[in-house]
């Protein structure tokens, strides 16, 4: 027996190893393949994504650069186009105030028109008539300023031209000042020369006389806190800010503005002063030729210059201002969400993801692209990777599940094969004993012992018994084999529980009436019927009763109890027999399992009775359990759903 079991185990083991190796191959190889492909696909995806994005970024940058350049050129071309040649200073002031640049230089036929820094000649601008000579002789030669002032006054009264009288008034005020007659001098300067008549009068060098007069008056007044100073200063400021007056040159304007600021540090800001100064400063260092249509650096630090292609307008930009203008042009561009563009001046560090030259209008300037809120490449790749990983995981899970199913199938097949082998071995083994004893008995009888009638009777009885045992064994095998092939078809009819129990008792027959045997039947009167196969159900209890009788000593106490609860019918078969250990209470339902094989040999079992019981009960949606204590008896409880 031991040998048989060992050989079975080895057979099964040998049979299983290739299957398991195959299984591992089936799981491991495709999984490795899936992961390899996934990895490869992920790498490709990353590469492709990077290329797509680079392409997208380049297109974005190129279009934006193109547009920025176009709108830049359009803007300054339009500004230059809109300059009227007869009101250039006015155009200058407007452009500066509108903030289109930090300063401008306006040209006409390649000659600078405004702002021009003209150096004035020191030659006296005063006329050379007899009266003028006389007045100058009194003023400078004789040092009689009061008389000179009177003579200048005479010139004013005689003169017909506004320029001559303005010059004479200026000289008169100068002499009054020299004579210490300041109120009179101021009166002439502010009220006469500062009046509207002389507003547009310029001296022969092109300087506005009234502007100089007002400045002179303020110099005489000295105290900026005085109302007369404030009033005069207001007139002067208004004239300085008025770019419609053609008689004011930019040089004079800058000079007077500077003088006024020196006299009165708190004077209001001139909106164009910085632009005038910047233009003058640039002009000093400006190259002879600019490159029209290009933003260029200048000799002044952080100052950029742009000349329109028609060469009419030269715009000067401090770098910050230029950046600001570019930023606003960039902001007007429509870009893909999450992409940020910025201008990078030459020489500045470019930390962006990608950059492109802006174009001819901005040599060496770059348009850089950066990404808001993290790298989209990374997030897109992450998403892809997640998809791949999930696909991989699902595929692997699928493969694993299929493998488990396959393994289960294989295990079932192996078990079935083993069972078949077991069955054949068991059947031959079980059949061998009764056949051998029958042959022995027959041989004994044949050898002449049949004359002894009593012995013959005894032997024949023994042969009959062996025969019965043989039949029951074969019956058991057949039932088992039917079950094993899953071909046992059960009827579905309403069967009275009492009837089943009684039929089973009847089938067990007079073995229950033997001396020393006591049966206690306790069946609840209202016990409901069950649905199922009558004969099969009887077999269940016959087998249980049979065991109860088989595995008890000489005094057999069998108790059969039936009751209903929870919609089920419960039937217990209890005995006072040898019992079995707790560890066996599940195993005894396995086919061919026997707690004590030597004992079974005597009782004539083959380990199939309880597996038949379990099979039938399970087929009726019920269950069977066993409880026992060695030496004290066992209880088998069958539960069947009530009809
Ligand atoms: P067998 O033909 O050997 O009786 P069974 O399937 O009916 O086969 O029982 C399996 C084993 O369970 C038995 O060999 C026996 O060891 C044990 N067994 C079954 N019923 C009882 C019982 N009432 N008391 C003690 N042991 C039992």
């Amino acid at each position: 027996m031991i040998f048989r079991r060992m050989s079975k185990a080895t057979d099964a083991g040998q049979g299983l190893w290739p299957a398991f190796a195959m299984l591992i191959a089936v799981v491991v190889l495709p999984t490795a393949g899936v992961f390899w492909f996934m990895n490869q696909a992920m790498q490709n995806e990353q590469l492709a994504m990077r290329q797509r994005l680079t392409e997208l970024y380049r297109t974005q940058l190129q279009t934006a650069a193109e547009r920025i350049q176009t709108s830049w050129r359009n803007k300054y071309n339009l500004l230059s186009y809109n300059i009227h040649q007869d009101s250039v200073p006015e155009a200058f002031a407007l452009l500066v105030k509108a903030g289109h640049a930090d300063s401008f230089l306006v040209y006409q036929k390649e000659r600078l028109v405004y702002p021009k820094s003209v150096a004035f000649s020191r030659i006296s601008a005063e006329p050379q008539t007899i009266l003028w000579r006389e007045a100058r002789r009194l003023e400078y030669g004789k040092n009689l300023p009061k008389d000179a002032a009177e003579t200048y006054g005479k010139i004013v009264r005689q003169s017909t031209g506004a320029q001559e009288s303005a010059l004479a008034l200026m000289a008169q005020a100068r002499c009054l000042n020299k004579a210490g007659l300041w109120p009179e001098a101021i009166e002439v300067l502010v009220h006469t020369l500062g009046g509207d008549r002389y507003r547009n009068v310029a001296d022969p060098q092109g300087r506005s006389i009234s502007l100089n007069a007002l400045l002179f008056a303020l110099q005489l007044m000295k105290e900026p806190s005085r109302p007369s100073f404030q009033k005069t200063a207001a007139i002067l400021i208004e004239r300085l800010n008025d770019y419609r007056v053609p008689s004011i040159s930019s040089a004079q304007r800058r000079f007077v503005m500077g003088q006024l600021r020196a006299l009165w540090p708190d004077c209001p800001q001139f909106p164009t002063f910085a632009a005038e100064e910047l233009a003058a400063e640039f002009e000093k260092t400006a190259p002879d030729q600019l490159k029209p249509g290009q933003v260029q650096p200048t000799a002044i630090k952080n100052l950029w210059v742009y000349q329109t292609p028609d060469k009419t307008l030269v715009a000067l930009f401090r770098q910050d201002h230029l950046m600001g203008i570019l930023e606003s042009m960039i902001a007007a561009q429509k870009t893909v969400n999450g992409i940020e563009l910025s201008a990078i001046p030459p020489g500045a560090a470019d930390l962006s993801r990608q950059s492109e030259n802006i174009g001819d209008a901005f040599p060496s300037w770059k348009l850089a692209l950066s990404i808001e809120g993290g790298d989209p490449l990374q997030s897109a790749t992450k998403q892809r990777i997640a998809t791949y990983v999930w696909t991989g995981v699902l595929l692997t899970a699928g493969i694993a599940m299929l493998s488990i199913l396959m393994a289960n199938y294989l295990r079932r097949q192996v078990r079935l094969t083993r069972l078949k082998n077991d069955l054949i071995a068991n059947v031959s083994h079980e059949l061998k004993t009764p056949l051998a004893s029958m042959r022995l008995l027959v041989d004994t009888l044949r050898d002449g012992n049949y004359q002894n009638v009593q012995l013959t009777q005894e032997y024949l009885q023994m042969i009959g018994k062996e025969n019965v045992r043989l039949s029951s064994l074969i019956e058991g095998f057949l039932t088992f084999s039917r079950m094993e092939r899953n071909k046992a078809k059960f009827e579905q009819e309403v069967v009275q529980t009492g009837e089943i129990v009684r039929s089973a008792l009847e089938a067990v027959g007079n073995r229950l009436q033997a001396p020393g045997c006591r049966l206690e039947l306790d069946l609840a009167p209202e016990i409901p019927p069950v649905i199922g196969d009558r004969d099969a159900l009887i077999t269940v209890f016959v087998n249980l009763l049979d065991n109860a009788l088989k595995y008890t000593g000489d005094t057999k106490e069998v108790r059969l109890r039936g009751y209903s609860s929870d919609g089920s019918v419960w039937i217990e078969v209890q005995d006072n027999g040898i019992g079995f250990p707790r560890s066996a209470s599940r195993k005894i339902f396995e086919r061919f399992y026997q707690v004590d094989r030597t004992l079974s040999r005597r009782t004539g079992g083959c380990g199939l009775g309880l597996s038949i019981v379990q099979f039938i009960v399970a087929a009726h949606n019920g269950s069977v359990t066993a409880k026992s204590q060695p030496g004290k008896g066992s209880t088998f409880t069958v539960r069947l759903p009530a009809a």
Side-chain angles (χ1 to χ4, degrees):
M1 194 57 142
I2 291 168
F3 167 75
R4 212 178 77 210
R5 288 192 151 221
M6 262 170 56
S7 75
K8 262 188 324 196
T10 339
D11 281 356
Q14 272 171 356
L16 274 179
W17 268 116
F20 276 119
M22 248 162 64
L23 208 69
I24 288 168
V26 162
V27 179
V28 171
L29 286 180
T31 311
V34 164
F35 277 106
W36 185 80
F37 275 118
M38 251 168 56
N39 190 33
Q40 218 59 14
M42 255 154 24
Q43 276 174 6
N44 285 349
E45 187 63 38
Q46 252 171 342
L47 210 72
M49 185 72 94
R50 183 154 289 149
Q51 267 167 358
R52 273 206 297 275
L53 278 177
T54 310
E55 205 48 51
L56 172 79
Y57 293 159
R58 181 169 306 128
T59 329
Q60 282 280 322
L61 278 170
Q62 280 168 350
T63 341
E66 197 67 44
R67 289 200 188 133
I68 287 164
Q69 194 164 260
T70 315
S71 62
W72 173 276
R73 281 186 172 147
N74 286 350
K75 176 179 173 170
Y76 291 96
N77 282 358
L78 193 70
L79 291 179
S80 132
Y81 177 77
N82 282 338
I83 295 172
H84 291 290
Q85 297 304 344
D86 42 2
S87 59
V88 171
E90 210 182 339
F92 169 86
L94 282 174
L95 288 173
V96 167
K97 282 186 212 160
H100 293 307
D102 287 296
S103 189
F104 290 93
L105 290 98
V106 185
Y107 290 81
Q108 221 167 5
K109 297 198 180 102
E110 302 210 11
R111 288 187 53 210
L112 182 61
V113 183
Y114 195 92
K116 244 197 277 188
S117 54
V118 202
F120 296 108
S121 64
R122 296 207 155 262
I123 303 159
S124 166
E126 289 160 359
Q128 301 295 321
T129 59
I130 300 162
L131 259 181
W132 274 99
R133 270 206 294 275
E134 169 65 14
R136 270 201 295 275
R137 196 177 55 83
L138 287 169
E139 187 185 350
Y140 300 111
K142 300 217 163 154
N143 204 10
L144 294 168
K146 222 174 147 188
D147 296 340
E150 255 169 50
T151 314
Y152 282 128
K154 209 187 269 178
I155 297 172
V156 172
R157 282 191 295 280
Q158 282 181 6
S159 79
T160 46
Q163 189 188 55
E164 192 188 13
S165 56
L167 287 170
L169 281 166
M170 231 6 221
Q172 188 184 28
R174 188 173 67 221
C175 292
L176 288 169
N177 174 39
K178 279 181 192 165
L181 300 165
W182 300 303
E184 287 79 354
I186 290 169
E187 173 68 24
V188 170
L189 289 169
V190 176
H191 293 113
T192 317
L193 270 176
D196 272 349
R197 176 164 187 234
Y198 300 105
R199 191 177 173 118
N200 291 333
V201 178
D203 66 14
Q205 271 107 13
R207 291 174 296 198
S208 159
I209 297 173
S210 71
L211 225 55
N212 283 347
L214 288 168
L215 179 65
F216 190 14
L218 288 174
Q219 280 165 343
L220 294 181
M221 289 173 188
K222 283 191 184 103
E223 259 323 304
S225 55
R226 276 170 46 192
S228 56
F229 184 99
Q230 298 272 325
K231 234 172 109 182
T232 313
I235 298 167
L236 182 59
I237 289 169
E238 187 266 318
R239 299 233 174 135
L240 285 169
N241 284 335
D242 184 0
Y243 276 77
R244 285 168 307 180
V245 182
S247 58
I248 306 175
S249 70
S250 72
Q252 190 189 14
R253 194 172 252 130
R254 268 193 303 117
F255 172 76
V256 177
M257 282 175 176
Q259 290 295 310
L260 179 59
R261 277 156 69 108
L263 271 178
W264 183 19
D266 295 335
C267 87
Q269 291 285 322
F270 295 101
T272 52
F273 184 60
E276 295 272 7
E277 293 269 287
L278 187 62
E281 199 188 343
F282 168 75
E283 221 201 318
K284 270 185 254 165
T285 59
D288 293 341
Q289 284 278 293
L290 289 168
K291 288 180 195 138
Q294 278 192 5
V295 173
Q296 294 168 246
T298 64
I300 300 161
K301 195 175 174 244
N302 281 339
L303 188 76
W304 295 84
V305 60
Y306 176 76
Q307 187 178 38
T308 52
D310 63 1
K311 297 190 178 177
T312 299
L313 193 62
V314 168
L316 298 173
F317 303 89
R318 300 225 180 261
Q319 186 157 306
D320 290 346
H321 191 180
L322 181 57
M323 290 285 281
I325 295 172
L326 279 174
E327 300 287 272
S328 66
M329 282 179 173
I330 288 168
Q333 304 295 312
K334 275 202 189 83
T335 50
V336 168
N337 270 351
I339 286 180
E340 216 175 294
L341 301 178
S342 55
I344 302 186
D350 176 6
L351 303 171
S352 64
R353 169 172 280 281
Q354 209 169 329
S355 58
E356 286 275 326
N357 288 331
I358 299 184
D360 310 341
F362 293 85
S364 315
W365 279 71
K366 287 194 162 175
L367 189 63
L369 181 146
S370 49
I371 287 134
E372 279 172 1
D375 191 342
L377 173 70
Q378 239 162 34
S379 59
T381 316
K382 257 189 212 155
Q383 232 170 24
R384 288 276 174 169
I385 289 175
T387 318
Y388 286 138
V389 167
W390 274 111
T391 316
V393 165
L394 288 177
L395 268 173
T396 315
I399 292 170
M401 231 154 79
L402 274 175
S403 316
I404 289 169
L405 287 178
M406 218 167 88
N408 266 340
Y409 176 75
L410 271 174
R411 218 184 51 211
R412 263 217 319 273
Q413 285 306 104
V414 167
R415 217 179 55 151
L416 218 67
T417 317
R418 192 187 290 170
L419 269 170
K420 274 180 194 156
N421 290 343
D422 278 5
L423 188 67
I424 292 163
N426 273 301
V427 167
S428 7
H429 190 80
E430 297 302 332
L431 293 180
K432 217 165 67 193
T433 322
L435 280 175
S437 52
M438 277 197 311
R439 200 173 58 223
L440 190 74
L441 289 166
V442 170
D443 281 352
T444 318
L445 283 176
R446 211 180 39 204
D447 288 350
N449 284 335
Y450 54 85
Q451 271 110 343
N452 185 337
V453 178
Q454 199 195 335
L455 198 73
T456 309
Q457 284 259 311
E458 217 173 277
Y459 275 25
L460 284 174
Q461 241 173 27
M462 277 161 78
I463 290 173
K465 227 167 118 184
E466 285 299 330
N467 206 303
V468 169
R469 190 168 159 233
L470 210 56
S471 305
S472 88
L473 265 175
I474 288 169
E475 186 55 38
F477 292 146
L478 286 178
T479 316
F480 169 75
S481 123
R482 255 205 316 275
M483 271 176 15
E484 205 40 69
R485 277 177 283 132
N486 218 356
K487 279 190 182 149
K489 295 268 184 298
F490 295 112
E491 300 276 331
Q492 292 286 315
E493 53 182 349
V494 179
V495 197
Q496 293 304 324
T497 310
E499 193 196 325
I500 298 168
V501 171
R502 270 184 285 277
S503 301
L505 287 171
E506 239 168 65
V508 179
N510 45 17
R511 283 168 65 199
L512 283 163
Q513 267 97 53
C517 182
R518 201 163 67 85
L519 172 78
E520 189 189 325
L521 180 63
D522 173 14
L523 216 55
E526 73 287 3
I527 192 159
V530 290
I531 293 177
D533 191 300
R534 189 176 171 274
D535 289 341
L537 290 172
I538 293 170
T539 309
V540 167
F541 296 103
V542 168
N543 284 4
L544 291 177
L545 285 168
D546 192 45
N547 282 353
L549 292 172
K550 269 196 313 199
Y551 301 108
T552 39
D554 291 338
T555 331
K556 301 175 196 289
E557 282 178 23
V558 180
R559 185 168 177 240
L560 217 153
R561 195 163 88 89
Y563 58 93
S564 79
S565 117
D566 304 332
S568 295
V569 168
W570 303 79
I571 296 159
E572 284 172 10
V573 180
Q574 194 183 353
D575 63 55
N576 63 336
I578 55 166
F580 46 84
R582 216 178 133 90
S583 58
S585 58
R586 271 177 174 278
K587 285 193 217 150
I588 53 172
F589 292 102
E590 287 173 13
R591 290 163 186 122
F592 300 114
Y593 182 81
Q594 292 175 315
V595 178
D596 182 350
R597 281 188 179 261
T598 48
L599 179 73
S600 308
R601 180 76 50 245
R602 241 188 318 118
T603 56
C606 61
L608 286 175
L610 286 180
S611 60
I612 292 171
V613 166
Q614 198 188 37
F615 180 81
I616 296 171
V617 171
H620 285 78
N621 299 322
S623 61
V624 57
T625 51
K627 244 199 244 163
S628 178
Q629 252 187 320
K632 293 212 169 146
S634 328
T635 307
F636 288 83
T637 310
V638 173
R639 183 192 63 78
L640 290 165

